Amino acid sequence: LIPEYEAEQQRVKAQGYDYVENLHEERDLSAKMEQKSKLDPMTGLFNKFSIEALIDEYFSQRKEESCAAMLILDMDHFKQINDTLGHLAGDAILTDTASVIRHFFKGGAFCGRLGGDEFIVFVKDIKDISSVLLQAEFLRQEIGRITDERKISIPICASVGIAVSTAGYYDYASMYNAADEALYRAKKQGRNKICVIE
C-alpha cells in the first residue's frame, strides 16, 4: 500500500509540475502575442494604434516643463518605386528605411509605421529642437543612400514634418495634425525637405 501511495504522490506532483510549466509557456506565448500585436509586421516598428496609445500615455504623465517632438516621414515618389521596381523592392526599401529610423532614434523615442510609406518618430523629453533637427537631417541623408546601397535607378528620398509640443500640442491628435501640416509644407517646397512647426 505504501509504495502505491508514494507512486500516486509522485504522479500528482509530476502533474503539478507539468501544469505549472504549461502555465508558464501559455503566459510567455500570450506575452509574445500581445507584443506582436503592437508591432508593424513588415518593419518591426510600432503600429499606428500602439504608437498613438504610447504618445497619449506620455502626455498624460508628462511634467509641466517637459518637451517632445513628433516627426512624420513620408517617402517621396514611392508609388513610382512600386510601379517600376515592383512591390517586393518597395517592401525592401520600407524595411531599410525602418532600420535607418531605428538607428538614428535608438533611445528616448517611439518609432512607428503609420501605414504605406509613412513613418512616425516621437522623441521624448528633449532639451531643444536643434538636436532633433540634426538627427532628422542625418536621417534624411541616410535614406538617400539607400539608392546606392540597393543599386537602383530611382532616387530614394523622404520629406519630414516636425511639430514641437511647446507650441501647445499635448496629445497625439493635435501634435499629429501639426506635424502633418509641416510635412505638407516640406512636400510643397519640392520634397526631400524638413519643415518644422514650433
Side-chain angles (χ1 to χ4, degrees), residues 7 22 30 32 36-37 50 52 63 71-72 79 86-87 94 107 110 125 132 139 185:
N22 288 339
S30 178
K32 283 176 185 172
K36 199 172 180 182
S37 71
S50 55
E52 183 175 344
K63 295 173 183 172
L71 296 79
I72 299 179
K79 186 178 183 304
H87 287 276
L94 292 178
F110 302 135
D125 303 322
V132 176
L139 174 66
R185 292 180 191 177

Side-chain angles (χ1 to χ4, degrees), residues 104-194:
F104 281 105
F105 295 94
K106 289 175 185 172
F110 302 135
C111 303
R113 181 181 175 216
L114 295 174
D117 60 344
E118 193 169 73
F119 296 87
I120 184 170
V121 179
F122 184 80
V123 189
K124 304 174 284 180
D125 303 322
I126 61 172
K127 298 288 183 267
D128 60 78
I129 189 62
S130 59
S131 60
V132 176
L133 282 171
L134 190 61
Q135 281 180 294
E137 178 55 26
F138 286 147
L139 174 66
R140 188 191 64 76
Q141 290 177 18
E142 196 63 29
I143 287 169
R145 292 192 181 95
I146 294 173
T147 302
D148 297 330
E149 289 166 6
R150 286 273 170 192
K151 294 181 173 58
I152 56 178
S153 56
I154 301 170
I156 308 298
C157 58
S159 298
V160 183
I162 303 175
V164 186
S165 65
T166 48
Y169 312 117
Y170 296 121
D171 59 38
Y172 172 86
S174 61
M175 204 167 187
Y176 174 84
N177 288 337
D180 196 45
E181 172 61 26
L183 177 65
Y184 172 77
R185 292 180 191 177
K187 295 275 190 186
K188 201 172 179 182
Q189 288 175 19
R191 302 176 191 270
N192 198 23
K193 307 279 184 189
I194 298 170

Side-chain angles (χ1 to χ4, degrees), residues 56-73:
D56 278 335
E57 183 183 3
Y58 168 84
F59 279 126
S60 71
Q61 298 173 358
R62 76 177 185 88
K63 295 173 183 172
E64 204 61 44
E65 67 278 6
S66 63
C67 177
M70 179 186 285
L71 296 79
I72 299 179
L73 180 147

Side-chain angles (χ1 to χ4, degrees), residues 1-14:
L1 184 66
I2 291 172
E4 288 177 8
Y5 175 76
E6 286 178 352
E8 180 64 16
Q9 285 288 88
Q10 291 296 326
R11 189 181 66 77
V12 169
K13 196 180 284 186

Side-chain angles (χ1 to χ4, degrees), residues 43-115:
T43 63
L45 301 178
F46 286 113
N47 62 32
K48 181 183 186 298
F49 302 106
S50 55
I51 203 157
E52 183 175 344
L54 286 166
I55 291 169
D56 278 335
E57 183 183 3
Y58 168 84
F59 279 126
S60 71
Q61 298 173 358
R62 76 177 185 88
K63 295 173 183 172
E64 204 61 44
E65 67 278 6
S66 63
C67 177
M70 179 186 285
L71 296 79
I72 299 179
L73 180 147
D74 189 81
M75 305 298 287
D76 296 325
H77 310 295
F78 192 72
K79 186 178 183 304
Q80 184 186 353
I81 292 164
N82 275 336
D83 291 347
T84 307
L85 304 174
H87 287 276
L88 286 178
D91 290 352
I93 288 163
L94 292 178
T95 304
D96 289 349
T97 302
S99 297
V100 173
I101 290 169
R102 200 180 283 112
H103 172 75
F104 281 105
F105 295 94
K106 289 175 185 172
F110 302 135
C111 303
R113 181 181 175 216
L114 295 174

